[in-house]
Each structure stands twice: as C-alpha cells, then as structure tokens.
Amino acid sequence: GSGVTLAGSVDIYRSVTYSPSGTKLSTGGFLTLKSTASETAWLGDMTGHSITGDVTVERYSTALQNWQFLAIPTQTTQTIHEAWQENQAPKVQAPIGYGTQITGPVSDGTLDWVSPNPSMKYWDAPTQAYINITGTNMRFPNIQNGFFLFIRGDRQATEDLSTPHVPTAMRTKGPLYTGPVPITVPVNFSSVGNPYASAVDFVNVTEAAGIPQFYVWDPLIYGERGLGGYQTISSVNSYFPTVPTSYYIDGTPYRNLESGQAAFVNNTTSGGVTLTFNESDKRSGSHLVFRGGDISASGFLRTYLYSASGKIADGNVVAFNSKYKNSLDANDAIKIRNAGLNLGLRRDGVILAVEARNTVSAKDTIYFDLKNVSKATYRLGFNPTNMEDAAVTAYLVDNYLKTQKEVSLTGPSFADFTVNSDAGSFAADRFIIVFKKMEVLPVTFVSIKAAQKDKEIVVNWNMANENNMLQYEVEKSTDGNNFVKTGTVAANNTVGANYQWIDKDAVPGNNYYRIRSVDKSSKTVYSTMVNVLITNLKTGISIYPNPITDAVIHLQFINQPEGRYRIRLLNPLGQLIVAKQIEYAGGNGSEDIKWDYKMARGIYQLEITREDGSVVVIKVLY
C-alpha cells in the first residue's frame, strides 16, 4: 500500500488517522503528538496500518503542585533525565513549558535539588511497596508501570518559591506501541500504564481479565493537604467516581484511561492474569468524560468526608443489589490509603472503598473506618441513589457521643462532628450506619415537590392517612443542613389532602425545603427534602456565585443562541489565565471553569465571545 515519510517536523494537535489506502507512515523522528490545556493528540486505530520511527508524545499538566500518576506511551530508550528533566543539568530552568524539577532526600547527583521527600517514585509489585527515584541517569524501570511524579510546574519551578509555577508538558520519545499489548499482573496490587498514545476504554481491558475495578489518581481530590487522592472506578458503582471533583463529576461513568495516564489494579486470581490492550479499545478525543454506561438496578449510598476547610477529602460507596453477596469477594474494591484524611468501609477486617452487598434489609450495618483526622470539625455527607423504595430507615450512630441521627434515603443529608483530644473522638470505628424497619406512621407524605415560578418558589405536598392532624410547618435551608421554620399551613384532615405554600423570599442558589407534620398530640413526622436552584432568569450570561467559593466558575447561559463560544479569563494584570472554546447547543445551560486555588485573590475578568462577535465581560471576584 501507499506510504508517507516525513522529512521535517510535524506537530499534531488532534489525531493521526489513516485513509483506507494509506497503510505506512515513517516518522523519521519528526512527529510530535501535542498536548495542551484543551486537548491531547492521539493515534487512531492501527489495525491494518503501520507506523515506524520515533514519535514524541506529550502529556499536559497544570501547575497544581501536586502528584500525577503517569504512563510512558513510547517504547523509549531515553533515560528519565533525557525525558522528564529535558536533558538539562540540575536546576537549569529551561526549556520553558516542558519537563519538571525532579528532587529527593537522596541523590546520586542527577536530581535537581535536595527535598525532604522524593518527587518521583514507582510501585514495585513483588514487594508491594514504592521505590523512590534517587538518580535519573537510567531508563524508566518497568516501562509498563505507572510513575508517580510531583509536578511543581515546568523547569522554571525550583526550591525558590518565588520562581514561576506554570503548566508544563511531560514528554518522551520513541517508537509507539501498536497492535495487542499484553501486560502480566501478578496477584495483589500492580500499577499499569496505558501503553497507547490514545485514550482507551480500560473497562474492556480489565473486565476481560476478570478485574471489576481499577484505581486512578485524581489531583483535584483535596485530601488533607490538597495533593490529590485515589478514585476507585468500579463496575459495582457503575464506574462512577467515589469522590466528585471537576475532573471526575458525580453521576458520570469514567471508563477511560487517557494517553499518558496510569492506574492501579488489584488482581485476586492466584498465578496472575494478563491485561491485553487492543487497538479496538482506543477511543477518540482526550476528554475524561465517557457518556453512557450501564446503570443497573442497584441502590447506592455514597458517603463523603469533608475536610475542616469544607472540601471533599475522601469518599466511599455501598452498592445494594440482589446479585451481590454480603461476604467479601472480587466485587468489593479494597481501598488504597490516601496520605491524609481517609474514610473507608470495614468488613471482616478489610478496608474497602466500594462495598457490594445484597438488597438492603433491616439490621444491616455499614461500618466506617475513619483515619488521619486532627482536632477540628468535619462533615459527613450522604448521597443516596435508587434507595427511595427501601423499606428501611437509616441511622448514623456516633459511638463516641452515643447518639443517632436519621440519614435520608431520598436525598442528600449531612452530619457535622468534632474531633478533640479524647481518643474516642478520633477512633477509627466512631461511626456506623444501621438500618431499621420503617415504622408505620399515622400520617404519610405521598409526595413533596418544589418549583420556581417567576421570582417565587411554590412548594406542594400530598398527604395520605391524615387523622387528628394539627398543622404542617415548612422549614427552609440554604445548605441542606440547618433548617428554620418559614411557614405554617393548617391541616385539612381529609382523604388525599393537597397543600401548597409559596416562598416569596427565594434566594439565588440552593433553596432546600422539608415539611414537618404536627398532630394534635404533638407527634411529628418529617417529609423528604427537596431543592430548587435559582439562577438569573434574565436572558444573558452570568456566573453564580460571585465571589466564587468552590474553586469553580459556574457559568450560566440563559436563553442563549446555539454556536461556538470563546472564553478567556484574565488576571488583574490583564494576563491570560484560561482560554477555551465550547460548542453550545442553545437555550439554558451551564459550563464550569476550573479555578486554581494558588491564584492571588482579586478581581479577574471573564470574557465570553459569541459566534456573532458580541462580547460579554464579567468581573469575577475571588
């Protein structure tokens, strides 16, 4: 078949694919697959095609100053020094935009500078331990491993904190892997790097080997120090993340490993298994989101641990389904410990991140495992899915305070707790959830709904079995935790009674409501909680909230036309911080723009340019 030979440098920003008649590409060492803030270039399905010669493959990284778990997508003969230190002498701050400074407490003279902890390490499966890199004049050990690298920024970022910390691209050069790539993993935990210069559907790879989950590193999990944490991606949890971040969004399945991304797998089959990457596993694009996936009939209870600063630090999931066993098996995902805060699940002496259990029933118990907390106030958040029909009531039991609090199985709920110097306050087994048979109540909430109407919110609820009722009290909250009574409606004591209350003081953002029924003997029953999110209804583009509070700019589009929108974020000095473009389908919608916590506080300028050339400028307060 026909072929192409490169005679000069070619940078690819999207993809390399082949026409039906094109079968051979000789790079001559001139081809580079670029990686930028908006996209990473990839090599398409190579079935029936060939590529020879060296290729440079980049992996973009923001200057978050935290860990990344990287793969080597080239059959490189380079040393670590030649690749990720850009073949520069120690501490040289060049080239701009590439590489990083690799450091550690012990060095053979090739590290850039001495640091209290190593900035590069890899997992050694035989010893089940990390090995620190103390010298870089060597090839990458076991190139199909993953490598943890602490990225401070490009080569400009040194031990001097005043040096620039800007995004960088880590790159290696060598022939590309094509065709089937088998990787043997022994029993227990192993790290596996994506060998392809392309995103792959890793679920296809792991399920073929009988492994129902894998673990990826998410640098946006705050943890205790903001350095990242593990996401457990499990078939039991429909491949949803265990800790929601702007990289791994709650309610979205994540099946892909990106070009340059590594993961952990836990093989429970004695004798080892083989993970085989095939060309058919490749996926186009470089976004993390994979739309779709099988949402089973499972019920889920997701629990999040919030740090003292209010950020989600860790989380876990219990999945209830008749196809699962209550005893430990391969469907239960063992937890990998984070360096900081940890909230796992204990079962038969094993700590889990995802627990698969049979259908929930009365007297079931969830045992939490709390680790690495300090003297502070924390929060537990509970998010149930498909649990509305469970004929049980859930209670959070605090073994230290000897209290119990109902956990909603129909909507989010929260529980704050404080750790002090008493050992019981930071005991690993302080919290459990017990399930009890749902009590038959004299009055039943059939439904409760709330919806915005102009500037007001209308709350409706339907009742059954009304008898000897006195009144209904409407309680409101803006955080889903602290409620105050805002209205009272007298009871009708009729069959199938319907009630309505109008909130004339709706506020921008979240408006949570619940109804407290009170009978004539003062017995009370609470409804489930409902929420209405209020945004600016005027036609236009806005952000909410402002100032931003959760490290994300929430951009709201109200009645906007379809088309391409260009977005630029400028700092107070007029310097470009973020640039991206989106294809907007029109109407009402939203777009999230990640914010870097390290940026200075002040007034930033967000510019949104519509396809017709009109520009909207919004001042963003931080």
Side-chain angles (χ1 to χ4, degrees):
S2 61
V4 173
T5 300
L6 301 183
S9 296
V10 176
D11 290 343
I12 302 297
Y13 284 87
R14 287 231 70 209
S15 64
V16 175
T17 56
Y18 288 68
S19 68
S21 61
T23 59
K24 300 177 182 178
L25 173 61
S26 300
T27 70
F30 293 120
L31 184 66
T32 298
L33 298 179
K34 303 292 289 184
S35 183
T36 67
S38 59
E39 192 166 45
T40 295
W42 70 96
L43 178 69
D45 191 325
M46 292 296 294
T47 303
H49 311 298
S50 69
I51 183 169
T52 59
D54 288 350
V55 177
T56 299
V57 182
E58 296 184 358
R59 175 70 263 172
Y60 175 90
S61 175
T62 56
L64 291 171
Q65 297 192 71
N66 56 17
W67 292 96
Q68 300 279 4
F69 198 25
L70 302 181
I72 311 297
T74 57
Q75 301 179 55
T76 182
T77 57
Q78 290 179 302
T79 65
I80 298 171
H81 175 77
E82 290 169 332
W84 287 354
Q85 286 176 303
E86 291 291 323
N87 206 27
Q88 300 294 317
K91 296 190 178 183
V92 171
Q93 294 177 263
I96 294 175
Y98 290 97
T100 195
Q101 302 259 330
I102 300 178
T103 66
V106 178
S107 172
D108 64 359
T110 60
L111 299 186
D112 287 291
W113 39 278
V114 174
S115 62
N117 297 299
S119 71
M120 183 177 176
K121 57 187 178 181
Y122 65 96
W123 182 254
D124 183 58
T127 62
Q128 291 290 286
Y130 286 107
I131 295 180
N132 299 327
I133 295 295
T134 59
T136 57
N137 274 342
M138 64 175 181
R139 296 180 184 178
F140 289 88
N142 189 356
I143 200 167
Q144 292 178 341
N145 260 10
F147 294 89
F148 268 114
L149 183 66
F150 189 81
I151 300 178
R152 302 171 174 89
D154 70 1
R155 295 277 304 167
Q156 298 176 89
T158 72
E159 72 270 40
D160 183 350
L161 297 180
S162 66
T163 54
H165 291 72
V166 299
T168 186
M170 309 305 298
R171 55 187 177 181
T172 59
K173 186 174 184 178
L176 297 183
Y177 291 97
T178 60
V181 181
I183 299 176
T184 300
V185 294
V187 68
N188 222 328
F189 282 95
S190 295
S191 72
V192 177
N194 177 6
Y196 287 148
S198 170
V200 296
D201 186 339
F202 197 46
V203 169
N204 289 352
V205 178
T206 54
E207 284 191 343
I211 298 176
Q213 68 269 321
F214 57 94
Y215 307 80
V216 295
W217 182 260
D218 185 350
L220 295 189
I221 293 178
Y222 188 78
E224 183 72 8
R225 307 176 188 87
L227 300 181
Y230 291 102
Q231 294 281 9
T232 305
I233 309 298
S234 169
S235 62
V236 170
N237 192 32
S238 300
Y239 306 108
F240 293 163
T242 47
V243 183
T245 68
S246 58
Y247 280 0
Y248 289 85
I249 300 170
D250 192 19
T252 300
Y254 290 86
R255 300 170 59 104
N256 287 6
L257 275 190
E258 300 298 305
S259 172
Q261 186 180 24
F264 275 100
V265 295
N266 181 24
N267 169 36
T268 59
T269 302
S270 61
V273 297
T274 298
L275 301 179
T276 301
F277 291 77
N278 291 295
E279 291 288 337
S280 59
D281 297 325
K282 287 182 175 178
R283 295 294 179 263
S284 61
S286 62
H287 52 284
L288 287 176
V289 180
F290 182 86
R291 300 293 180 187
D294 174 38
I295 306 300
S296 71
S298 296
F300 301 95
L301 183 59
R302 298 178 171 89
T303 304
Y304 306 126
L305 173 62
Y306 292 78
S307 69
S309 61
K311 300 178 178 66
I312 295 179
D314 202 8
N316 57 63
V317 181
V318 181
F320 298 96
N321 193 306
S322 58
K323 66 183 180 182
Y324 299 136
K325 300 178 181 178
N326 284 341
S327 57
L328 291 176
D329 60 21
N331 290 313
D332 300 295
I334 294 175
K335 181 175 178 59
I336 299 180
R337 292 284 190 187
N338 299 318
L341 295 173
N342 282 268
L343 183 68
L345 299 160
R346 282 186 296 112
R347 185 67 60 184
D348 298 336
V350 178
I351 308 303
L352 306 171
V354 177
E355 182 175 10
R357 293 188 63 75
N358 207 300
T359 306
V360 65
S361 62
K363 298 184 180 180
D364 266 357
T365 304
I366 296 173
Y367 299 91
F368 293 111
D369 184 78
L370 182 69
K371 290 290 175 61
N372 295 349
V373 291
S374 54
K375 294 181 182 179
T377 297
Y378 300 91
R379 168 173 285 191
L380 294 174
F382 306 97
N383 187 13
T385 303
N386 297 333
M387 299 288 287
E388 299 90 343
D389 297 330
V392 293
T393 303
Y395 297 93
L396 176 70
V397 177
D398 186 333
N399 290 317
Y400 171 62
L401 295 180
K402 309 301 181 185
T403 61
Q404 67 177 24
K405 176 181 179 179
E406 184 175 346
V407 174
S408 174
L409 295 181
T410 60
S413 58
F414 303 92
D416 294 338
F417 68 96
T418 299
V419 173
N420 54 39
S421 56
D422 292 342
S425 72
F426 52 84
D429 61 353
R430 175 172 174 174
F431 295 105
I432 63 174
I433 285 180
V434 296
F435 295 93
K436 299 181 181 179
K437 185 177 180 180
M438 187 177 293
E439 297 181 6
V440 178
L441 301 174
V443 65
T444 302
F445 283 92
V446 176
S447 67
I448 175 174
K449 299 178 181 178
Q452 183 178 353
K453 184 177 181 181
D454 298 324
K455 296 182 179 179
E456 301 171 341
I457 294 178
V458 179
V459 183
N460 292 283
W461 63 98
N462 301 330
M463 306 302 299
N465 305 324
E466 260 192 330
N467 183 31
N468 203 35
M469 295 302 299
L470 177 63
Q471 64 188 27
Y472 297 96
E473 297 173 355
V474 182
E475 296 184 354
K476 180 178 178 179
S477 169
T478 57
D479 63 3
N481 191 41
N482 300 299
F483 283 83
V484 295
K485 186 171 76 171
T486 54
T488 302
V489 179
N492 295 330
N493 287 304
T494 59
V495 177
N498 300 318
Y499 297 90
Q500 183 179 95
W501 180 81
I502 298 176
D503 185 3
K504 299 182 181 297
D505 298 312
V507 298
N510 290 306
N511 294 259
Y512 295 91
Y513 302 91
R514 66 183 184 188
I515 310 299
R516 179 175 181 259
S517 69
V518 183
D519 70 12
K520 293 177 181 178
S521 63
S522 298
K523 292 181 180 178
T524 64
V525 175
Y526 276 100
S527 74
T528 58
M529 183 169 56
V530 292
N531 179 36
V532 176
L533 177 63
I534 296 292
T535 59
N536 182 5
L537 291 182
K538 295 180 180 179
T539 298
I541 302 174
S542 62
I543 65 172
Y544 182 82
N546 196 6
I548 62 173
T549 59
D550 59 352
V552 178
I553 297 176
H554 300 284
L555 191 59
Q556 307 288 329
F557 293 84
I558 308 298
N559 297 326
Q560 291 301 293
E562 178 183 359
R564 179 172 297 175
Y565 288 69
R566 297 190 302 276
I567 301 171
R568 301 170 73 240
L569 178 65
L570 307 175
N571 68 12
L573 299 178
Q575 298 169 319
L576 180 64
I577 303 299
V578 174
K580 65 185 299 186
Q581 65 180 20
I582 62 171
E583 297 292 337
Y584 185 60
N588 298 338
S590 63
E591 179 75 16
D592 288 346
I593 302 172
K594 185 171 64 67
W595 189 272
D596 187 347
Y597 278 111
K598 304 297 190 299
M599 292 201 292
R601 295 193 175 273
I603 301 176
Y604 290 71
Q605 182 169 295
L606 187 67
E607 297 178 357
I608 306 101
T609 303
R610 301 184 180 93
E611 198 164 272
D612 63 5
S614 59
V615 180
V616 176
V617 178
I618 302 174
K619 291 183 178 179
V620 182
L621 305 180
Y622 174 61

